[in-house]
Amino acid sequence: LTYESARHAAAFSMVQGHASVWVSQNYSARKWKIVSDETVKIEEGAGSAFRVVPGLTGEKGTVSFEDAARPGRYLRHAGYAMRCHSSSHGGPFALDATFRPRPALTGEPGFVSYESVNFPSRYISHRGFHLRIEHAEDSTLHRNDASFRIETSARY
């Protein structure tokens, strides 16, 4: 376990189970927001709160994001777009809803990136303000689009 991964794991244990919101690194006024079950974006305003729970696949060190307002519904990717679905969707749902937390692709302290379990090297990121999983690119834009800060507060 490296210092960086230990520091990251400690930071995650602080938010696990608590309702939190995720803020874009390159659009600091925009947060993950469920627009509909089929559309998750980064938008200005309050954002949608999620609980970080152990990854639905059961793989150690992974996480899933449960909608704090609607327990039993999780962020997952389908067709590379992020959606918020009930775990009753079946099929590869658990794989689609499980991510590996990684140090931010930007390397910026206080930010994190999330790698898809079933599509390694694809990270939660935004394009046109829509959340998706995108292939990691060696570009400043992608690294910023795939790095997020976690806000935990009693109001969530």
Side-chain angles (χ1 to χ4, degrees):
L1 196 64
T2 66
Y3 170 76
E4 183 62 29
S5 62
R7 186 174 66 80
H8 185 70
F12 242 178
S13 67
M14 291 171 38
V15 299
Q16 192 160 4
H18 297 280
S20 305
V21 296
W22 277 256
V23 181
S24 171
Q25 182 165 341
N26 54 347
Y27 291 94
S28 61
R30 292 182 175 264
K31 299 173 176 131
W32 291 6
K33 176 78 174 176
I34 300 168
V35 177
S36 73
D37 287 347
E38 300 301 317
T39 304
V40 183
K41 299 175 77 172
I42 59 167
E43 290 194 340
E44 292 184 2
S48 298
F50 297 92
R51 292 189 201 302
V52 175
V53 299
L56 297 180
T57 61
E59 181 183 329
K60 185 177 171 106
T62 62
V63 298
S64 293
F65 303 97
E66 184 177 32
D67 183 352
R70 300 177 301 162
R73 300 182 78 76
Y74 298 86
L75 279 188
R76 57 92 61 108
H77 63 83
Y80 303 114
M82 296 302 293
R83 304 168 194 278
C84 189
H85 287 161
S86 165
S87 57
S88 65
H89 265 69
F93 181 87
L95 288 167
D96 292 346
T98 304
F99 300 88
R100 291 183 184 96
R102 302 290 193 215
L105 294 181
T106 58
E108 187 72 27
F111 289 82
V112 64
S113 296
Y114 300 96
E115 182 181 21
S116 170
V117 164
N118 57 343
F119 288 92
S121 81
R122 287 189 178 265
Y123 290 80
I124 296 177
S125 62
H126 59 84
R127 186 190 321 156
F129 302 121
H130 289 261
L131 278 184
R132 317 178 38 77
I133 59 167
E134 295 282 346
H135 193 280
E137 296 176 13
D138 190 22
S139 73
T140 301
L141 178 61
H142 175 73
R143 288 189 296 271
N144 277 291
D145 287 351
S147 297
F148 302 92
R149 178 174 47 83
I150 304 165
E151 283 186 1
T152 303
S153 170
R155 68 186 171 118
Y156 301 120

